[in-house]
Amino acid sequence: MSYRIGKPVLTLPLVTALLVISCKHKPPVTFVKDIAPLLYKNCSTCHRPGSAGPFPLLCYRDAAKRAKMLALVTFTHEMPPWPADTAYTRFAGEKVLTAGEVELIRQWAEAGAPLGDSAAQPPMPVFNYGSDLGKPDLVVRMPEAFQIKGDNSDHFMFMKIPFEIPRDTFVRAIEFVPGNRALVHHVNGHLIRYPFDKKKDVNDGEKIVDSQVFSVKELYDKLKIANDDGSYPLLKPSFVNYLPGVLPTMYPDGIGGFSLSRKNAIFLKDIHYGPSPVDTSDQSYFNIFYAKEAPKRPTLEMQLGTLGLSPVVPPLVIPPNEVKTFSTRIHAPMDMSILTINPHMHLLGKSFWAFAVTPAGDTIPLIRIKSWDFRWQYFYTYKKMVKIPKGSELVAIGVFDNTANNPRNPFNPPQTVQERNGSMRTTDEMFQFIITYLPYKEGDEKINLANSNGSANSH
Ligand code: HEC
């Protein structure tokens, strides 16, 4: 009985012997069978040309030559970056490897990174570069490029991106598209809708200001954020945010959305550029998707801690050489359905924990980050909305490490670091917990949010 012309003929006893051997040993871990699907799902969104990862992880060669390093960074959970503890709460679009998957990568590296059956290679994922949501109705570009100095340091900027439209309009979603994918690290932006007669020229003022150099008041003045009469316009907070590898948030039909007025400005209170060894630039843009009608259930936002509704207790002052714990708490003003949360601290953050305690004394877990990582400040969207009964106490607890053991400590030797008028400087601290929610409606807990945010990494 011959299997293939030109190949040695396998006799029946030999085949049986081979079968016995392969039953005793598990089939070898190969790139094609085991590793490629893992990388495509959890790594390639960031590890592809022009994205934030320092090298691509798209084909066998990319992975095989770094097999040992992949095994190491997945074992230490440094990669994929996902600070939230999945044993505590689960979110849409999580990028996490199971212990079994980490072990597969280890075995594969140990075996010399075998390819496997090259004919069975899974297709490489295809990525969208212009938009992950489709064809936008409006594209708003940064009015000028930001020149990034090749000084190998991070840059944290404030930006104002004004735009005018012919009439008031409803919006379903907004998407930030980085111009320089390798360097734009994170973005958090508010929307300013100027009352038509209160701001003559939305294009007034500077557009880009270094948030580490000036006070918040000086920054607002330079960008000319105020109305013409000196009063401040209302902000829609955090209406756009971005991290590499995360898709823009789009809640299910009927949830979320907002309106634009004729005169608007996108106000980036935080755009973080990673270090670059060479001079370069960025001109990012925003894709805006209109809605046919007014949002049925616009989302609300509640901010605890720094600049928020509830104070940080004790006041956020972290003495040198101390690890210190702070908390902030507030009562739920109504039955709430929580969609998305965002914990925020700066470089001294060590851990973050948030939960709710209901009037009946039950604890509802919200998020636990055992090891805070300043670089990965996700807006975490739950897979299903979390119901918080009216009167529950929402609690956030933050631990800050102001010792020399904290490798991110901006001061050496450590100095007193505190909250200063909501200063965004990375060398000042903040402790915030931002909650996006809806007034609860029967059945909210059953609505699937899994596709709302970051869940698709290839399509
Ligand atoms: C959300 C984006 C993102 C995802 C997802 C991601 N990476 Fe990374 N990775 C980065 C960035 C950015 C760096 C650069 C190092 C840094 O700044 O932390 C990096 C660095 C690395 C490094 C070099 C680490 C070092 O110490 O030099 C390895 C190896 C790596 N990633 C492997 C992986 C693997 C394997 C996966 C999937 C299991 C993965 N990454 C998923 C963004 C990502």
Side-chain angles (χ1 to χ4, degrees), residues 312 314-320 322 324 326 402 416-419 429:
V312 180
L316 189 55
V317 179
I318 313 152
E322 273 190 34
K324 200 166 164 174
F326 299 86
N402 194 6
T416 298
V417 172
Q418 56 190 313
E419 183 181 81
E429 264 306 333

Side-chain angles (χ1 to χ4, degrees), residues 90 93 102 138 255 282 298 316 334 361 411 413 439 446 451:
R90 308 300 303 265
V102 170
L138 176 69
I255 295 177
D282 167 57
L316 189 55
M334 62 182 94
F411 298 109
K446 298 197 188 86
N451 296 320

Side-chain angles (χ1 to χ4, degrees), residues 39 42-43 45-47 52-55 57 69-70 73-74 78-81 95 97 244-245 375-376 378:
L39 300 186
N42 296 287
C43 318
T45 31
C46 298
H47 289 273
F55 45 79
L57 284 175
M69 207 197 334
L70 303 193
V73 299
T74 50
E78 189 191 333
M79 289 285 146
K95 286 199 183 59
L97 299 179
R375 287 177 48 85
W376 300 107
Y378 290 95

Side-chain angles (χ1 to χ4, degrees), residues 203-353:
N203 292 300
D204 216 11
E206 291 178 38
K207 303 296 180 294
I208 306 179
V209 182
D210 190 328
S211 69
Q212 305 296 296
V213 177
F214 303 100
S215 75
V216 174
K217 174 77 173 78
E218 286 169 326
L219 293 164
Y220 284 5
D221 286 351
K222 282 181 179 294
L223 296 173
K224 295 220 186 319
I225 295 289
N227 294 316
D228 294 336
D229 63 7
S231 62
Y232 281 101
L234 283 178
L235 291 177
K236 177 173 172 52
S238 305
F239 92 121
V240 63
N241 52 72
Y242 168 83
L243 268 185
V246 181
L247 290 185
T249 307
M250 173 109 98
Y251 295 128
D253 259 342
I255 295 177
F258 52 93
S259 61
L260 292 175
S261 67
R262 291 165 64 184
K263 290 180 178 174
N264 311 280
I266 296 168
F267 167 48
L268 299 185
K269 62 145 206 186
D270 210 353
I271 175 161
H272 171 190
Y273 293 96
S276 169
V278 292
D279 285 355
T280 176
S281 67
D282 167 57
Q283 193 161 15
S284 297
Y285 60 93
F286 300 82
N287 288 329
I288 297 178
F289 300 85
Y290 291 160
K292 288 197 189 68
E293 47 188 289
K296 286 197 192 82
R297 300 183 70 192
T299 52
L300 302 172
E301 202 176 80
M302 180 188 256
Q303 183 173 309
L304 281 68
T306 308
L307 296 175
L309 299 167
S310 60
V312 180
V313 179
L316 189 55
V317 179
I318 313 152
N321 305 309
E322 273 190 34
V323 175
K324 200 166 164 174
T325 303
F326 299 86
S327 67
T328 181
R329 39 192 91 213
I330 197 167
H331 284 97
M334 62 182 94
D335 283 352
M336 298 164 70
S337 295
I338 301 187
L339 299 134
T340 298
I341 54 169
N342 171 239
H344 181 62
M345 306 195 277
H346 289 173
L347 299 166
L348 297 186
K350 183 176 167 66
S351 64
F352 191 104
W353 182 24

